[in-house]
Amino acid sequence: MSSLRYWRTEGMRRVFAGCFTALLLGCSSGVDLPGSGADADKTVIYRDTWGIAHIYAPTVADGLYAQGWAQTEDRPEQVALNLLMGIGEYATAMGEEGVQLDLSGRIWDHYAVIKSHLGDLQPENLGQLEAFTRGINDYYAAHPEDVPEWWRGRQAEPAMVLAVGRFTHFVWAMDEAYGDLRRAGIQAGPIAESRGSNQFAIAPSRSAEGAAILASDPHLGWHGQTRWWEFRIHAGSLEGSGVNMAGGPYIAIGHSRHLAWAYTTGGPDIADVYELVVDDDRPHHYLYDGQWRAMTSRQLEIEVRGAATQSHTVWFSHHGPIVARHDGKAYAAKISNVDVLFANELTHELNFGTDYQAAVRGLGAQTMVSQNVMVADTSGNIYYHRAGRVPRRPPGYDWSLPVDGSTSATEWLGFHPSSDNLQVLNPKQGYMQNCNIPPDAMIVDSPFDPEDHLPYLFASHAYGAELSGWTNQRGARALELLAPDDSVTAADAIAIANDVVPYGADRWIEALRRADEKLAGEKAGTPFYREALDEILSWDRKLEADSTGALVYDFWRRQLLEDLGEERLREIASGIDDWYAIVEGETRSPLTVTEDAERAFLSSFATAAGRLVGQHGDLTAVYGDRHRVGRGDRSWPVGGGGGSGLLGTSTLRVVRYLPEREDGTVWGESGQTSTQVVVLTDPPRSWIYVPLGQSDRPDSPHYSDQAAGPFSHRQLKPS
């Protein structure tokens, strides 16, 4: 291992300032670039203005060692927590709240399975993982004050890292299985974490940059496991920029020297639930092809911090673990990636590949959980693949619900090859996007027709009862911006990724205007009604932090949902929200709003105006007075919205907010986690931000500096 050197923020500023001067002077000043000169053949970590680690190393293993070290320096507790989650010992740190997470992982025995097959890894891959975990361990050894007391002398190891990846993929798949149960009216399993993302790709033919453009915009929680860690790396054949979660090696999402990639949630159906007939006298026996079979069991001992160790018995059928019992029946979950040992094949291919074929190869291994994968390369290709290891299912059954598990007639018939998954290379339209929508809604005149594919390959029911023929507010807005633009600049792409227009808000405001025109007399004299109406009618339809109209619209839409309830508001919205028309290239249908609905609009609007003034003092309050991004005891105004489609405030710049605080503000808690735009010139150019800051240390200048700066101002920083 080469020696590790460290430059703090001031050092990198000095080096980069000198390099810029050298460039202006034709490189005559003799200033060394980072990683060269005195740093050549050494492993060096520079920290930039935002505390981001820039790693320079002679080999991939050296670079990953530095990645493990730098991650742990920034997030010493979260690295350890994530590794504990992977091995099923989360409760040893988190107490009772970690028990269910440990159970969900220990059912599948991730850590033991990985350890027993670690020798199956390619030696080079294993060596790189060993270097990464050695970086974690060496940082802890050098800084014992940063080691959490509940870590208890453990040593990070490759099997832990791989177990985290397997655990994450299995959680995703199990959410699909629990969805089958819930659609049958059986409540089981934890409520799925809110997940979403945006992605779009522009071909060179529609790019003003003369190169492909890719935007990656995952939407996850801003705290805990899913908070991305940002970095740059130049280590042998591993060069790029992006993010990974604490305890994760390589670039999980981002770009390399030749390739950029993005993921969004959604894809084919990769899990099922089998309904089992159990013996009344022997509840751990089930009927299969006319004979009784005995379930097997495993005893799980869960050590709980601050409490007694818990013992749990888990029962298994040959289909999989029993995850629910209801009305005398047992229900077993079966997921397609149960035989997948290592979930990092695709990541490895993307990190070291030179064009889109790396994605094809990585996806061919079928280790990826259900996702929309989009890539672009420096050769000018854009490629999409609706990923997932999809079982071949016997026809004649509704696989969105539990199926009969008492007969071999419902057994899976192997797996579809990845070539059966929906995919397209360089679509003729020259662009594509996916904002958690079905494939038919990705592009105007989409190449994907549900009639050409098996339903369970086209989509799962995780995002709605219908597998096609719909889009969401974000997807419609993405098409509105992308479809007509045949000369997209880097600045355009950044603006699209950060757009704060809630698609269709104009139709709701027009419906409100018509209702006022027809029924204004009913609200005559209502305090603040007329002033608030004037404000919303002149609003530019952007949820900007400094917008008064945006706050009025937000208050009104939330009041409508409160007054009318979900069912009634959904019925009214069906006459206003014609989002799918843009997918079909058609004009939106005329507004259809009953007089009863119009009266409800005015009543809720009057109430909302009064509430707004009551909370903020007058109608000059702006959206950012209420909507904040913050950490600790400080917050800053933020624009953008997210959440339920019934609120009508979802924008491409997604921010989901926590419940209202005592001071009337709502703070973002999830949404954009690592928005990055990449122009695939040679070499690539890219821009990125994260919502809070690089460090988990409250006394660090990088604890919340991106919240105060780039994120609050919607300004991606160069990467």
Side-chain angles (χ1 to χ4, degrees):
M1 184 64 59
S2 62
S3 61
L4 177 65
R5 293 182 60 192
Y6 227 98
W7 284 96
R8 295 288 177 179
T9 301
E10 301 76 26
M12 192 164 191
R13 280 180 177 153
R14 184 175 67 250
V15 171
F16 280 168
C19 291
F20 183 63
T21 302
L23 290 172
L24 291 177
L25 298 176
C27 298
S28 61
S29 71
V31 175
D32 293 326
L33 289 168
S36 65
D39 292 339
D41 297 323
K42 296 182 175 64
T43 300
V44 186
I45 302 173
Y46 294 85
R47 294 281 186 173
D48 67 19
T49 303
W50 304 99
I52 308 305
H54 294 241
I55 297 166
Y56 290 81
T59 70
V60 173
D62 291 337
L64 293 180
Y65 174 89
Q67 184 184 4
W69 177 289
Q71 268 189 14
T72 312
E73 179 182 44
D74 289 336
R75 303 179 185 178
E77 183 170 297
Q78 195 61 57
V79 166
L81 279 174
N82 286 3
L83 294 178
L84 289 184
M85 180 183 64
I87 66 176
E89 296 181 14
Y90 199 64
T92 62
M94 301 303 290
E96 182 64 37
E97 69 176 274
V99 171
Q100 286 304 313
L101 205 63
D102 282 349
L103 285 173
S104 65
R106 296 274 288 280
I107 283 174
W108 302 104
D109 215 12
H110 299 305
Y111 184 48
V113 168
I114 293 291
K115 286 191 77 170
S116 66
H117 289 88
L118 204 58
D120 297 340
L121 273 180
Q122 292 291 329
E124 181 182 45
N125 194 350
L126 180 58
Q128 291 168 1
L129 293 174
E130 288 172 342
F132 173 74
T133 52
R134 190 160 56 250
I136 295 172
N137 294 327
D138 284 359
Y139 179 83
Y140 282 146
H143 300 275
E145 71 280 4
D146 283 343
V147 181
E149 56 87 13
W150 38 260
W151 184 238
R152 296 188 308 197
R154 295 177 175 92
Q155 292 288 296
E157 54 177 297
M160 286 181 172
V161 173
L162 294 170
V164 173
R166 194 169 190 261
F167 172 90
T168 303
H169 281 218
F170 274 53
V171 167
W172 227 284
M174 283 301 295
D175 284 346
E176 291 266 0
Y178 288 132
D180 289 357
L181 285 168
R182 294 187 186 111
R183 282 186 286 277
I186 301 169
Q187 296 302 312
I191 300 300
E193 177 190 354
S194 175
R195 302 189 188 107
S197 300
N198 298 337
Q199 61 184 193
F200 63 83
I202 309 292
S205 61
R206 296 176 70 100
S207 165
E209 306 293 339
I213 301 173
L214 185 85
S216 169
D217 188 18
H219 305 156
L220 293 167
W222 292 355
H223 305 274
Q225 176 212 354
T226 58
R227 196 165 79 79
W228 295 105
W229 182 80
E230 181 187 347
F231 70 111
R232 324 273 179 262
I233 190 165
H234 307 264
S237 57
L238 178 58
E239 292 186 276
S241 164
V243 295
N244 209 321
M245 293 181 184
Y250 305 108
I251 303 167
I253 302 178
H255 71 88
S256 68
R257 181 67 171 73
H258 297 286
L259 189 66
W261 57 95
Y263 305 114
T264 68
T265 301
D269 188 353
I270 59 171
D272 289 315
V273 171
Y274 285 91
E275 182 181 81
L276 306 179
V277 176
V278 295
D279 191 330
D280 290 340
D281 298 323
R282 297 178 301 167
H284 302 307
H285 288 72
Y286 65 102
L287 194 64
Y288 185 74
D289 280 349
Q291 297 185 343
W292 293 104
R293 285 192 176 191
M295 297 179 187
T296 59
S297 66
R298 192 162 76 241
Q299 202 74 13
L300 304 180
E301 303 296 321
I302 307 295
E303 185 180 347
V304 185
R305 184 183 185 188
T309 296
Q310 297 184 12
S311 182
H312 297 263
T313 303
V314 183
W315 294 92
F316 297 83
S317 72
H318 76 283
H319 297 294
I322 305 303
V323 294
R325 290 181 182 266
H326 182 74
D327 285 349
K329 302 285 181 65
Y331 294 86
K334 187 170 186 176
I335 63 176
S336 65
N337 48 351
V338 68
D339 297 323
V340 173
L341 298 175
F342 310 122
N344 69 339
E345 281 90 342
L346 177 60
T347 296
H348 206 267
E349 287 284 357
L350 292 172
N351 274 246
F352 298 99
T354 58
D355 62 20
Y356 80 94
Q357 290 284 357
V360 176
R361 290 192 300 272
L363 290 162
Q366 293 196 301
T367 60
M368 188 64 186
V369 75
S370 186
Q371 289 281 289
N372 300 289
V373 181
M374 199 170 284
V375 303
D377 64 32
T378 53
S379 298
N381 298 297
I382 60 174
Y383 173 70
Y384 166 82
H385 190 116
R386 197 156 171 87
R389 189 179 192 224
V390 187
R392 294 185 184 273
R393 296 172 168 98
Y397 299 93
D398 184 353
W399 294 96
S400 70
L401 298 169
V403 296
D404 185 2
S406 66
T407 170
S408 56
T410 58
E411 293 285 2
W412 290 351
L413 306 172
F415 296 93
H416 288 273
S418 65
S419 57
D420 282 357
N421 290 354
L422 280 70
Q423 49 199 292
V424 64
L425 173 66
N426 299 326
K428 64 180 182 181
Q429 294 87 340
Y431 74 91
M432 50 188 170
Q433 59 84 28
N434 193 291
C435 301
N436 312 122
I437 54 176
D440 59 303
M442 290 173 51
I443 316 170
V444 176
D445 190 22
S446 171
F448 301 118
D449 187 334
E451 298 299 320
D452 298 334
H453 305 274
L454 290 169
Y456 61 75
L457 272 168
F458 195 82
S460 77
H461 288 272
Y463 282 82
E466 301 299 326
L467 301 182
S468 63
W470 62 270
T471 190
N472 57 25
Q473 201 168 12
R474 288 177 286 122
R477 177 60 175 167
L479 283 185
E480 184 177 42
L481 294 171
L482 291 169
D485 193 342
D486 61 2
S487 186
V488 180
T489 65
D492 291 337
I494 292 170
I496 292 168
N498 268 321
D499 184 75
V500 290
V501 172
Y503 184 80
D506 56 323
R507 287 170 61 90
W508 285 84
I509 293 170
E510 174 60 15
L512 177 65
R513 187 195 66 76
R514 292 182 187 182
D516 174 72
E517 191 175 81
K518 184 190 301 185
L519 306 166
E522 297 186 9
K523 293 301 171 188
T526 303
F528 314 114
Y529 169 83
R530 181 56 55 191
E531 299 94 321
L533 187 67
D534 290 343
E535 197 66 58
I536 201 172
L537 292 179
S538 63
W539 174 45
D540 64 2
R541 314 306 192 252
K542 298 178 182 178
L543 297 181
E544 302 258 29
D546 60 357
S547 171
T548 53
L551 187 61
V552 175
Y553 183 75
D554 175 67
F555 264 77
W556 175 47
R557 291 304 302 265
R558 287 187 292 110
Q559 192 66 49
L560 271 175
L561 181 57
E562 180 179 327
D563 292 346
L564 300 178
E566 290 188 11
E567 186 175 348
R568 176 90 190 283
L569 187 54
R570 187 172 286 109
E571 179 185 343
I572 293 172
S574 67
I576 302 176
D577 287 335
D578 190 7
W579 295 339
Y580 197 70
I582 196 168
V583 176
E584 299 175 308
E586 298 178 356
T587 303
R588 288 180 286 182
S589 57
L591 292 175
T592 305
V593 184
T594 66
E595 189 168 303
D596 282 348
E598 289 176 328
R599 283 196 165 85
F601 280 14
L602 297 186
S603 175
S604 292
F605 189 80
T607 302
R611 275 192 168 183
L612 192 161
V613 173
Q615 285 190 22
H616 295 279
D618 57 39
L619 288 170
T620 64
V622 297
Y623 190 78
D625 290 336
R626 173 177 170 82
H627 299 84
R628 314 288 291 179
V629 54
R631 199 173 190 194
D633 59 358
R634 298 190 65 193
S635 70
W636 297 268
V638 68
S644 168
L646 286 175
L647 284 174
T649 55
S650 289
T651 62
L652 287 170
R653 200 281 171 94
V654 170
V655 180
R656 301 188 186 96
Y657 298 95
L658 289 164
E660 187 173 280
R661 299 161 70 99
E662 289 184 6
D663 62 359
T665 61
V666 290
W667 287 25
E669 57 93 19
S670 65
Q672 288 190 323
T673 53
S674 56
T675 307
Q676 187 169 43
V677 171
V678 187
V679 177
L680 276 303
T681 48
D682 190 4
R685 294 177 288 136
S686 59
W687 298 261
I688 191 172
Y689 63 34
V690 297
L692 299 176
Q694 180 78 344
S695 176
D696 277 353
R697 302 172 184 274
D699 60 349
S700 168
H702 309 301
Y703 184 66
S704 57
D705 55 343
Q706 293 198 52
F711 193 81
S712 178
H713 294 107
R714 289 193 296 129
Q715 294 176 347
L716 301 187
K717 51 188 175 54
S719 54

